[in-house]
Structures are given as C-alpha cells and as structure tokens.
Amino acid sequence: MRILIVEDDMILGEGLCEGLRLSGYTVDWLTYGEEALHALEADAFDAVILDLALPGCSGLEVLTHWRRSGHYTPVLILTAREGNDECIRALDLGADEHVVKPVDTEVLEARLRVLHRRANGHPDNRLSCGDISLDRGDRMVWLGDRELALSAYEFLVLEALMERPGRSLSREQLEARLYGWEGGPESNSLQVLIHKLRSKLGAERIVTVRGMGYRLHA
C-alpha cells in the first residue's frame, strides 16, 4: 500500500513514516498544507493520513479541495481529541476515518487496511487470483496450499497486480507503488523483482504487455 502523510509535527511524522515503512508500506510525507493541495493530481495513493492543523493551508481546506476536484482517495484524519468540531466537520466534508493522537501504530495500520478494502470492494484482507492467495494483514502468500516466502518488495508488486487481476500496470505505476517519491535503487530493480516472482509463481503467471507493463494471469 502506498500512503501519503500530511503532518507538520516532525517527531510524529518521522515516527509514522518509520513505523509504516517497517511494516512494508510505501510512504511519502508532506509538512505544508499548500504542498498537499495538488498532491493527488499527479500521484496515486491508496490512502492519505491528514492532520487538520497544518501551516499555510488547513487540513480542512486541503480535504475540501481534494473532494471538490474529484479525488476520492480514502482519507484518515489525525485529531488531537475525540469528537472535536473540526474532526466532525472533516468527516462531513468527505474524510473516511479518524484516529486520535498519540497514534497506536497497530490500530493505525488496521484502519488503513479497512479503508483500502472498502475503497476496492474487498470484504477482508484476502486477495486471490486463480490458486494464488495473499493476505494483507499477515503479509502472507500461498500458491495452492503452499506458503511462499517473498521479500517486502516482491510482496508489494504481487499485491498491486492482484488488486487488478487481468489489467495491465505500467512500470511507472509499479515503481511508484514500490518506492514513492524516493525513486528506485536501480534502473532494472523492477525487472529483477518480476523475474523473482515468476520463478516462485511460474513464468506464465505474470505477462509482459509490450508498451504497457505487466499483468497477472490466473
């Protein structure tokens, strides 16, 4: 899952980034409201964690702009206290969920998984394509009844492909899912990951679509 965090508290922001990355999420982080206004126009995120008290442009203004611009990425609000007026207004403006600071990382991750499932029409953390099964919560993958050992990056690539079975994902889309704004470590890193996945799933499972990218085949 690729997450955008919009939070100006440096200690909290760094903690959220570190915790989510350790759990296998791809995380991008902004600290100013004005920077966040157009963040959803050029990049695709699975969810946004949005603080309401931001310098330059408030979280409510950012959220209002996103929704009026037709961006419906799930938004989880960070709030200082339960049930405050700003939080209620944010939910009414189109936010999907909220958590109270200080944030429990495990609770935050569970809320993010719920938002992601809801946005993609999945009833639980399981994805399947043919005899391939993936569990987002436990970060486990099976081929038939055999559990597969995948690296964190291999898991992210397979997860992205399994969310859209039969549809092509471009190299740019997959690399953004893997590395966010930081960029990849090597120019051929995605090809290496695809090769490793093919060796574990079967070469015929991941199809190269010339000029478009890759597609998972059941």
Side-chain angles (χ1 to χ4, degrees), residues 16-156:
L16 290 174
C17 288
E18 181 178 358
L20 290 172
R21 285 169 179 156
L22 285 173
S23 295
Y25 294 83
T26 301
V27 183
D28 293 303
W29 177 25
L30 296 173
T31 56
Y32 289 91
E34 290 180 350
E35 293 176 325
L37 283 174
H38 304 289
L40 302 186
E41 293 177 4
D43 290 278
F45 297 93
D46 296 297
V48 179
I49 298 172
L50 176 66
D51 186 23
L52 294 180
L54 296 169
C57 185
S58 74
L60 287 177
E61 292 174 301
V62 172
L63 177 63
T64 299
H65 175 79
W66 286 343
R67 294 310 191 226
R68 287 180 177 173
S69 300
H71 300 297
Y72 298 109
T73 302
V75 174
L76 185 151
I77 295 296
L78 288 179
T79 178
R81 59 187 184 276
E82 186 78 40
N84 66 73
D85 291 342
E86 275 198 327
C87 181
I88 294 170
R89 189 177 173 203
L91 292 169
D92 286 338
L93 286 170
D96 300 271
E97 184 58 278
H98 73 282
V99 294
V100 180
K101 303 177 187 180
V103 182
D104 182 284
T105 304
E106 291 185 357
V107 172
L108 178 65
E109 291 178 17
R111 297 282 179 88
L112 290 171
R113 289 194 296 271
V114 168
L115 293 183
H116 193 45
R117 292 200 309 264
R118 189 185 300 160
N120 290 278
H122 299 298
D124 54 32
N125 287 323
R126 286 280 186 123
L127 297 174
S128 61
C129 181
D131 59 352
I132 306 171
S133 300
L134 178 150
D135 190 304
R136 288 193 179 103
D138 294 327
R139 304 192 70 77
M140 298 174 67
V141 176
W142 298 267
L143 181 60
D145 58 1
R146 178 168 58 91
E147 183 181 341
L148 300 180
L150 301 186
S151 71
Y153 281 153
E154 289 167 9
F155 184 93
L156 287 173

